Amino acid sequence: MKPIPGYFAHYLYRPWLTRYLSKERSYRYEHITVRVLPGVFHPGFFFSTHYLLQYLLKADLLGHSLLEPGAGSGLISFVAEQHGAAVTASDLSMTAVQNLLLNKALLHSQAEVIHSDLFDQLPARRFDFIVINPPYYPKAATTDAALPWYCGADFEYYHKLFSALPSFMHAGTKTWMVLSEECNIGRIQQIAAENKCRCSEVSRKKCWWEWNYIFEVTVAGDGDV
């Protein structure tokens, strides 16, 4: 299954996707097959998941800790675990948490699964890697199924993300976030700067007509913001 751009999938394919994703589905990546429950972001239809995974797997994950907030079905987390990472996967959606637990059992995974609104319920610790596939669209999410898509009318997701993120990073942490040209990237970078974070583009790739980007998030030093 070839991933398609977010806008195309979300709007033009939406009626078909809604019908298809109303049932539990399977998806295979590398040597991992995950189940995807109805209402959970399907990693096979959207380029962002593949792009973030491709970038992540260039790193040496062996023996390193990795956090994926908003993990959905957990594909990124479970692939990272197969590559040697000690994984913590969290999600605000209870449906997604149930999906994570289902796939954890099916894959005999040791990943830690936590129900959390971003970092709220996470124990205080610092991770070597943090990978984020965030919601793109500025609108309130009123259902679990809407959480992967909508970041709040005033970008509340990003305010919450960047205000807490530095507490879970150490000096060597690699924090990577995937965005597309559909996002208001300038506004997201502004919110990061307001919270003494910096989003720097480290990779870009075009899927069909849509540009996708990987941003590395760092904590800004004095005088940098």
Side-chain angles (χ1 to χ4, degrees), residues 54-62 64 83 129 174 176:
Q54 290 165 6
Y55 191 84
L56 173 65
L57 294 182
K58 295 176 183 177
D60 179 10
L61 302 179
L62 185 62
H64 292 289
H83 284 258
F129 292 92
K174 294 295 184 182
W176 292 318

Side-chain angles (χ1 to χ4, degrees), residues 10-131:
H10 189 46
Y11 290 102
L12 302 186
Y13 272 13
R14 193 171 185 173
W16 179 84
L17 278 176
T18 299
R19 290 194 298 272
Y20 181 82
L21 298 177
S22 65
K23 297 181 180 179
E24 183 178 328
R25 301 292 181 177
S26 291
Y27 183 70
R28 186 173 180 82
Y29 184 95
E30 289 190 340
H31 305 297
I32 286 183
T33 299
V34 295
R35 303 295 292 175
V36 185
L37 299 180
V40 175
F41 186 85
H42 193 298
F45 283 104
F46 307 105
F47 183 66
S48 58
T49 301
H50 283 242
Y51 185 30
L52 186 54
L53 256 176
Q54 290 165 6
Y55 191 84
L56 173 65
L57 294 182
K58 295 176 183 177
D60 179 10
L61 302 179
L62 185 62
H64 292 289
S65 59
L66 180 143
L67 169 67
E68 185 188 8
S73 66
L75 178 67
I76 292 176
S77 288
F78 295 123
V79 171
E81 184 181 33
Q82 273 215 343
H83 284 258
V87 168
T88 298
S90 70
D91 209 292
L92 172 59
S93 163
M94 273 305 304
T95 306
V97 171
Q98 292 167 3
N99 204 156
L100 287 165
L101 292 171
L102 169 65
N103 286 324
K104 176 179 176 176
L106 291 173
L107 296 168
H108 307 287
S109 165
Q110 299 301 310
E112 181 180 25
V113 174
I114 300 177
H115 179 223
S116 181
D117 184 354
L118 284 172
F119 306 100
D120 285 356
Q121 303 304 317
L122 268 62
R125 70 182 75 158
R126 298 181 190 270
F127 294 88
D128 300 322
F129 292 92
I130 301 174
V131 289

Side-chain angles (χ1 to χ4, degrees), residues 95-188:
T95 306
V97 171
Q98 292 167 3
N99 204 156
L100 287 165
L101 292 171
L102 169 65
N103 286 324
K104 176 179 176 176
L106 291 173
L107 296 168
H108 307 287
S109 165
Q110 299 301 310
E112 181 180 25
V113 174
I114 300 177
H115 179 223
S116 181
D117 184 354
L118 284 172
F119 306 100
D120 285 356
Q121 303 304 317
L122 268 62
R125 70 182 75 158
R126 298 181 190 270
F127 294 88
D128 300 322
F129 292 92
I130 301 174
V131 289
I132 307 164
N133 188 358
Y136 288 174
Y137 306 107
K139 179 180 175 181
T142 56
T143 65
D144 270 13
L147 289 171
W149 298 101
Y150 301 122
C151 62
D154 191 34
F155 295 84
E156 287 87 351
Y157 170 92
Y158 292 98
H159 287 281
K160 189 178 184 74
L161 171 70
F162 293 122
S163 65
L165 181 60
S167 297
F168 292 84
M169 297 171 60
H170 55 69
T173 299
K174 294 295 184 182
T175 298
W176 292 318
M177 178 170 62
V178 60
L179 296 173
S180 87
E181 62 183 333
E182 300 170 30
C183 303
N184 187 338
I185 291 175
R187 179 64 180 130
I188 293 168

